[in-house]
Amino acid sequence: MLIQVITLFAEMFTALTDYGVTGRAAKNGLWQLSCINPRDFADNRLGYIDERPFGGGPGMIMQAPPIQGAINQAISRVDDKRVIYLSPQGLPLTHEKTIELSKRDSLILLCGRYEGIDERIMLTNDIEEISIGDFVVSGGELPAMVLIDALLRHRAGVLGDEQSAQEDSFCDGLLDCPHYTRPTEFNGLEVPPILLSGNHGEIAKWRKKQSLLRTRERRPDLWERYVLTPQETRLLNEE
Ligand code: 4H6
């Protein structure tokens, strides 16, 4: 998978290319990153690409021509010409969207800085505007990195087999269950005995029940949409 990112700060993406499972996946050739700097398309020698907003107000706006130059270079290299713009005004990113994006052969991500980008870029290109949540950060790079990490986890070979199946956590619309490891006692707390029993059927039931209880307690929005099976209803109603 080729991921092209339009950004003023290419170095930030070493967090993905050089570390952890995404880093290993890059080393194994499962994905490739290519950054394009809009400054390379500035009309001035100093590479300024920001200007004051028409109509006044605080801050600066990224100018359309250097952004368009960067987009044109990116789309010239791939068949899929769609561009994803990370912005607080976008459609909320979901588990389902990360799966959809993971199936593409290539992606183009556009990262805004300053107060954002001249709107005419969005009006004259094939742009999907996506938000990672209802909060603001200083640039589109961290949201783009969140998106890349989340979608790479769905691609074959990025996670080990055991993990990829286990990723069902959000797949089934429930929060994950609690996890325990050695030592068996910590801060006066023992590990729940069922986890040491070796009874895999009972362990699976305990974990499912914990997921149900947590989701009901912490995420009423997910709980509302969750359809309980008869067996899950029984799990919740036992003492
Ligand atoms: C586009 C427009 C995405 C991108 C404005 C980006 C949060 C998200 C940005 C801005 C982002 C998200 C720049 C506006 C800083 C505020 C970059 N913040 N901002 N929720 N910031 O996905 O000032």
Side-chain angles (χ1 to χ4, degrees), residues 180-191 196:
Y180 294 86
T181 186
R182 294 199 293 171
T184 54
E185 191 253 52
F186 176 73
N187 280 357
L189 289 182
E190 295 287 337
V191 172
L196 309 175

Side-chain angles (χ1 to χ4, degrees), residues 13-25:
F13 290 83
T14 57
L16 290 174
T17 56
D18 295 6
Y19 297 92
V21 291
T22 55
R24 186 185 58 196

Side-chain angles (χ1 to χ4, degrees), residues 196-226:
L196 309 175
S197 69
N199 185 335
H200 296 293
E202 286 303 310
I203 291 171
K205 275 161 63 182
W206 180 86
R207 285 178 169 159
K208 171 57 70 97
K209 184 173 178 178
Q210 293 296 315
S211 285
L212 293 167
L213 290 171
R214 272 187 166 186
T215 307
R216 187 169 68 183
E217 176 74 14
R218 300 180 183 183
R219 293 293 302 275
D221 58 319
L222 294 178
W223 189 247
E224 206 176 359
R225 275 179 290 148
Y226 190 74

Side-chain angles (χ1 to χ4, degrees), residues 28-44:
N28 292 342
L30 298 178
W31 71 289
Q32 191 195 326
L33 178 76
S34 172
C35 289
I36 300 173
N37 192 335
R39 290 200 200 288
D40 296 341
F41 302 88
D43 62 0
N44 56 85

